[in-house]
Each structure stands twice: as structure tokens, then as C-alpha cells.
Amino acid sequence: MTTPTVTTAGPARRGGRLLWTPARVRSVQAETARATRLVLEVPGWAGHVPGQHLDVRLTAPDGYRAKRSYSVASGPEQPHVELIVERLPDGEVSPYLTQQLRVGDELEVRGPVGGWFVWHASLGGPLQLIAGGSGVVPFLSMLQHREAAGSDVPARLLYSARALPDVIGADRVAATDAGVTLVLTRQAPATWQGPTGRVDARLLHEHVVPPDARPQVFVCGPTGFVEAVADALLELGHPPERVKTERFGTGGGAT
Amino acid sequence: MTTSDMTADGTADEGPESRRLDGNAAAGPLRELFSVDIIAAACTCAHCGGTTALAEHVLYADAPALVLRCPSCTGVVLRYASAGGQARLDLTGARLLVLDLAHDGRPG
């Protein structure tokens, strides 16, 4: 493999198959009008690498089960595991997680999982993060970790959101010393000075670390967004082995 | 396991293009079976001979089984499903999997 891999955090049962385990909900907070931040206490949590997922499983009274995979929003240095779940009108799982779930409830979870779309300070940089909608969630974890680790790796975030009220992780995005470009695709205030519209090759050329600087590029968002951005990055000369993608389908937060 | 079990989240379909996910998203389900994370493994496609990390394969998670397709030739490389206490794994399309054991499964 041409890119370095980090050691991924072990599951609750190290060296064995990964089992479902109960987690307790410590807090449920509105993140935006459509997204909810869940703070979970997961007994035996072995820690995660930024970018890894947590799988959540719900079981209905009739035994029917549905599971979903969510990127962990919190950094490994934070005391609890945080998810940011966007409510999808036709979803089987997200309406429950965002509207029914209460503090003190239990959820079945499995994780952390995934050792590919991850970044750790030891992997260096420069780091270029490109998010569409709720695709910013794994990058919130990476930015938190970068700061907690005192990393001096140069980092940039290009974040495409529909409008200012849809910005997820606004506190972290505002506080980070990484270079942030926010792109508004649907609606921008009259005073807005930043870019608007679709993220295209021109915008990527202007706001992304250039290929000469050999950045590690991570792209996360709805499938259409990620594929369009990844194609444009390759056209701009970014080598495919330095562009990692995570498509989450047609999910809300589409830009 | 229902057909929609492992999509990133349940949404109305807008055609197969928008249902494509990355192999990353198969990491959790495959950990039902494997004691290590195989998603970073380099996989040689039995159809075209190309070698790519499983994480970079195209994942269709809402088929009756989870299906990983080769990003080069789109051939089916891996199918996995679990239901009724049984797991089914079809690796016909994967000629070779190479895992980096030095990096696998240990707390970082």
C-alpha cells in the first residue's frame, strides 16, 4: 500500500470479533434544525482514530432490526463519544435518534470501525478536508484531535453547506486555526463575502492545498458531491492515492 | 437483515448512482465475521487483475447482500449477508487479499 495506515483502535474485545454493546445516552442537543448531537457513554470504549465510525442498531418490539453507521464527531481526547445525526424524512433510524431518543436511554452500538478513512497527527500532512453537508462530521473529530495533540500539521477545511443555519459543528469550525473556506450553495446572507454555489474545479483550484504541496485529501459527503469533487481533484493533478473518499449515499445534507 | 440495513441512512432512492458508497462503510458488518479490519486490505480483482484497497471499492449496501464491486472493472468482488444466525460470504471475485498485520487491530 502506498499510503501509511494508522493502527486503528481496538474494539471492546481486542483481537476478537466486534460485538454489539449497550451505550447510554448522556445528552441530546439540537445541532441545527435538522441535525442532532448525541453524546454517548460507551462502557469499555477503547478509543478511536478520527474518521472511524460507530454502528448503531435499533430493535423494534417485533424483533425487526435496523442499523446504521455514523462517523464519530468527537475527538479521541474527548471523554465521551459524540455522533451528529441528520434527520432524514424517510429514514428508518434517524427520526428515532433525533426525535424519540431521551437522556438515559440505551442504544446498541458497535465500534469503532473502519481503518481507512482516518487521520491521526502521526500521519502528518498537509491535511486538506473537503465536506459536503453532514460530511463534515469526521472532520470535526480530526480537527479536534489535531488541536488536542498540539499538531502543527497545516490543515484546511473546505465546507459546502446549504446555508449558514445548516452549518454543523459551527463552534469547532469557528475555533479551529485550520484555514476554513465555507461555501454556501443555496442561500447566503446579503453581506456574505465567501464563495457560493457548487464546488467545482475552479473553486477547488482556489481554495484547496495545491497538488505540489502533496496534501492528504479527504472528501466526505453525499455520493454525488464526493464523486464530482474527487473527479475534479484528479483533473487538477491530485494523485488518486492521496485522495480518500467517503460517500454516504443520497443522505440529507446534500449540498 | 433487511435490504436497507447498511445504507448510510435510509433515504429515497434516486437511482443506482446515488446509492454507491465506499468500501469503508462495510467495515462494521465485516467485523461480524473477521477478527481484524480487512477493509484496508489490498484486493486483487479476479475479473480484471487490478489491485485496490477494499475501502476504495464501490459498495452497494442496499442489495439483498452487501456487494463490493471493483472500482476498475465494476466486477463483483465480495458479497456478504447475515440473517437468521448465519453469515454468508462470497469471495469468488477476489483473487487475493493482502493484509498488513503490523497495523491491524491494535489500539493506536
Side-chain angles (χ1 to χ4, degrees):
Chain A
M1 235 155 293
T2 50
T3 45
T5 49
V6 287
T7 54
T8 54
R13 292 168 62 88
R14 177 177 167 177
R17 289 157 59 211
L18 191 53
L19 303 177
W20 294 98
T21 179
R24 187 163 296 277
V25 178
R26 287 183 60 96
S27 116
V28 180
Q29 289 172 322
E31 179 75 16
T32 68
R34 293 186 305 143
T36 300
R37 184 183 291 255
L38 306 177
V39 180
L40 304 177
E41 196 172 306
V42 187
W45 182 255
H48 66 284
V49 181
Q52 284 194 295
H53 292 199
L54 182 71
D55 291 354
V56 175
R57 179 167 79 175
L58 302 180
T59 305
D62 67 359
Y64 173 74
R65 279 175 165 164
K67 58 194 174 200
R68 295 291 182 272
S69 198
Y70 295 100
S71 294
V72 176
S74 48
E77 294 83 3
Q78 289 176 268
H80 301 292
V81 179
E82 300 185 12
L83 305 180
I84 296 174
V85 179
E86 196 156 39
R87 187 180 68 252
L88 303 172
D90 301 324
E92 281 188 316
V93 172
S94 67
Y96 177 83
L97 295 181
T98 55
Q99 293 174 306
Q100 309 287 319
L101 199 64
R102 297 288 176 263
V103 172
D105 286 354
E106 266 193 3
L107 281 177
E108 279 189 297
V109 302
R110 176 176 68 188
V113 293
W116 180 256
F117 193 85
V118 294
W119 182 80
H120 185 271
S122 63
L123 292 179
L127 182 62
Q128 175 67 59
L129 311 173
I130 304 176
S134 57
V136 76
V137 171
F139 302 153
L140 300 177
S141 179
M142 293 180 189
L143 291 174
Q144 191 279 340
H145 165 67
R146 173 177 166 275
E147 278 143 46
S151 166
D152 56 3
V153 166
R156 296 192 68 128
L157 168 67
L158 176 63
Y159 179 9
S160 166
R162 294 181 201 215
L164 282 179
D166 295 312
V167 171
I168 286 170
D171 291 355
R172 168 85 45 214
V173 170
T176 183
D177 65 356
V180 176
T181 303
L182 185 61
V183 186
L184 300 180
T185 58
R186 298 270 176 92
Q187 196 180 20
T191 55
W192 181 249
Q193 304 280 317
T196 56
R198 295 265 164 186
V199 174
D200 55 16
R202 182 189 56 79
L203 204 138
L204 290 168
H205 176 68
E206 287 173 10
H207 296 281
V208 164
V209 180
D212 301 353
R214 296 191 50 75
Q216 299 188 48
V217 187
F218 292 83
V219 189
C220 183
T223 295
F225 173 88
V226 170
E227 294 185 352
V229 168
D231 288 348
L233 288 170
L234 299 187
E235 277 174 32
L236 291 172
H238 291 268
E241 67 273 16
R242 295 187 75 85
V243 177
K244 288 188 175 178
T245 60
E246 181 146 278
R247 294 169 274 202
F248 58 64
T250 56
T255 48
Chain B
M1 186 173 302
T2 67
T3 54
S4 61
D5 250 349
M6 286 170 294
T7 54
D9 208 323
T11 52
D13 283 349
E14 293 168 8
E17 298 78 16
S18 59
R19 303 193 337 258
R20 279 197 292 262
L21 304 176
D22 290 276
N24 303 330
L30 289 170
R31 286 299 306 271
E32 290 170 359
L33 197 58
F34 293 96
S35 64
V36 296
D37 179 21
I38 66 163
I39 222 64
C43 176
T44 303
C45 174
H47 310 285
C48 72
T51 299
T52 327
L54 279 179
E56 296 188 300
H57 282 52
V58 180
L59 170 68
Y60 291 91
D62 53 358
L66 177 159
V67 178
L68 279 173
R69 288 180 175 271
C70 173
S72 301
C73 74
T74 74
V76 173
V77 165
L78 177 153
R79 295 188 300 153
Y80 175 72
S82 69
Q86 286 191 316
R88 291 160 191 255
L89 176 68
D90 174 3
L91 278 167
T92 313
R95 182 187 300 160
L96 178 69
L97 282 174
V98 179
L99 280 82
D100 192 348
L101 293 176
H103 287 294
D104 200 274
R106 296 178 308 171

